[in-house]
Amino acid sequence: MSTRATMRALQQTSFNGPRDLRLINDAPLPGPGPGEVLIRVTAAGVNFVDIAQARGTFAGGPQPPYLAGIEGAGEVTAAGEGVTGLKPGDHVIGVGITGGAFAEYMVLPAAAAVPVPPGWTDEQALGMVVNWPTALAALKPLGRVKAGQTVLIHAAAGATGQAAVKMAKHYGATVIATASPDKHEVVRALGADHVVDSRAAGLAAEVLRLTGGAGADLVLESVGGATLDASLAATKRVTGRVVVYGLAGGEAAITNWELVYTHQIHVIGLNIGILIQAAPQIFGEVMGEMLGLLAAGVLGPGRPTLYELAEGPKALAELEARATVGKLALLP
């Protein structure tokens, strides 16, 4: 390991969003505490959580100035006290919700560091600990997807949406996906049965038409804003489920009056970080299922769009504007 005490990193200096992300050359090099590993970051995933933290809208998020980035993959260079099963030279991917992934080195909890699958590069594993478990938790333990059901997947061209489309098809569902028109071909290639313009005014009516008036059995809702209203209206009455796991398009409100008189449906909130903390047994089941999907070839090595570390503000701004397809990665 390098003997220098500092490293390059991206520091978020305000709550004004990605434009106030600064490249610094003198960030202190972290050290692993008990139960932690230090990794030399070779690839960091860019996520909507990073944007929420940069805007100060992530509950309990770090206060600026802080080192940004929650998802890092790379090589273990040191292990803290009490760490078993991981040693220097191992390649892992993990999440540090307090940040630090957009840097040359980061500390991860050893228990949450997942080995990079054999034969994969580190950047190909990005998504394994954030996007894929989120999609899978929304579909399976929370969404209770079954063969023959119809699933509406919003933001289907994004990293989480793409994984959700592949998994939902594997489970035998009919998939209605939403994406902007320039991304429709990408989503069709993943196996979606129908692709709808995500910003069209008649979204709910189109889903009802495609389902013979019944509505979707399950909706994966990550957009929020006006799209949430369309999602609720497009869901099957009484038995339909809407799993809300993101709000890229802004906040939305639903009233008790609407639930009683307009939308008689199940609305379920999902935050993968809280799921890991509050229901580790369910998260363990999700990860076990995910490894099965990897073994079956349903999920394979990712092909993220790569940016240099200095391009971090640009990558986050493009994600925030929803101008990207699939996973984005920074290379320290």
Side-chain angles (χ1 to χ4, degrees), residues 12-318:
Q12 183 69 35
T13 58
S14 78
F15 280 145
N16 293 330
R19 67 178 185 190
D20 282 348
L21 199 55
R22 302 267 184 272
L23 184 66
I24 60 173
N25 294 311
D26 57 353
L29 194 71
E36 294 178 334
V37 291
L38 180 68
I39 69 166
R40 181 179 60 80
V41 180
T42 54
V46 179
N47 294 284
F48 276 104
V49 167
D50 302 317
I51 293 162
Q53 290 187 348
R55 296 239 171 245
T57 58
F58 187 86
Q63 295 295 309
Y66 64 87
L67 299 190
I70 62 157
E71 180 188 15
E75 181 184 357
V76 175
T77 59
E81 193 186 325
V83 172
T84 55
L86 286 178
K87 61 189 185 308
D90 289 347
H91 283 255
V92 298
I93 176 163
V95 167
I97 206 66
T98 52
F102 298 165
E104 291 179 295
Y105 290 86
M106 85 176 291
V107 167
L108 289 173
V114 176
V116 171
W120 292 26
T121 63
D122 294 342
E123 68 250 26
Q124 286 175 329
L126 292 174
M128 276 184 70
V129 289
V130 178
N131 309 103
W132 302 356
T134 299
L136 186 46
L139 284 169
K140 266 287 215 213
L142 300 180
R144 303 193 306 282
V145 69
K146 291 184 175 59
Q149 292 185 335
T150 299
V151 181
L152 172 62
I153 298 172
H154 286 293
T160 304
Q162 288 195 16
V165 171
K166 290 184 211 167
M167 291 188 232
K169 288 303 297 175
H170 174 72
Y171 294 131
T174 297
V175 171
I176 303 173
T178 78
S180 55
D182 56 319
K183 302 174 185 176
H184 283 197
E185 284 311 310
V186 170
V187 177
R188 269 201 198 88
L190 297 169
D193 298 279
H194 310 281
V195 188
V196 180
D197 183 357
S198 55
R199 293 174 186 180
L203 181 61
E206 179 64 7
V207 173
L208 291 169
R209 186 186 72 76
L210 290 169
T211 54
D217 296 285
L218 173 61
V219 180
L220 267 54
E221 166 59 76
S222 59
V223 179
T227 304
L228 181 67
D229 295 336
S231 293
L232 301 173
T235 304
K236 187 177 277 185
R237 298 291 163 255
V238 183
T239 58
R241 282 102 46 218
V242 180
V243 179
V244 180
Y245 65 89
L247 48 151
E251 284 187 59
I254 175 170
T255 66
N256 51 357
W257 190 93
E258 288 169 324
L259 282 172
V260 175
Y261 291 107
T262 312
H263 310 295
Q264 301 77 24
I265 57 180
H266 306 240
V267 181
I268 302 160
L270 166 61
N271 176 315
I272 199 73
I274 301 297
L275 178 74
I276 292 167
Q277 290 167 2
Q281 183 189 344
I282 295 175
F283 184 69
E285 290 166 13
V286 167
M287 292 305 283
E289 177 92 4
M290 192 180 86
L291 294 174
L293 294 173
L294 282 169
V298 177
L299 297 172
R303 290 195 299 276
T305 304
L306 306 177
Y307 297 78
E308 294 300 321
L309 190 63
E311 294 180 297
K314 176 174 178 253
L316 265 76
E318 288 177 359

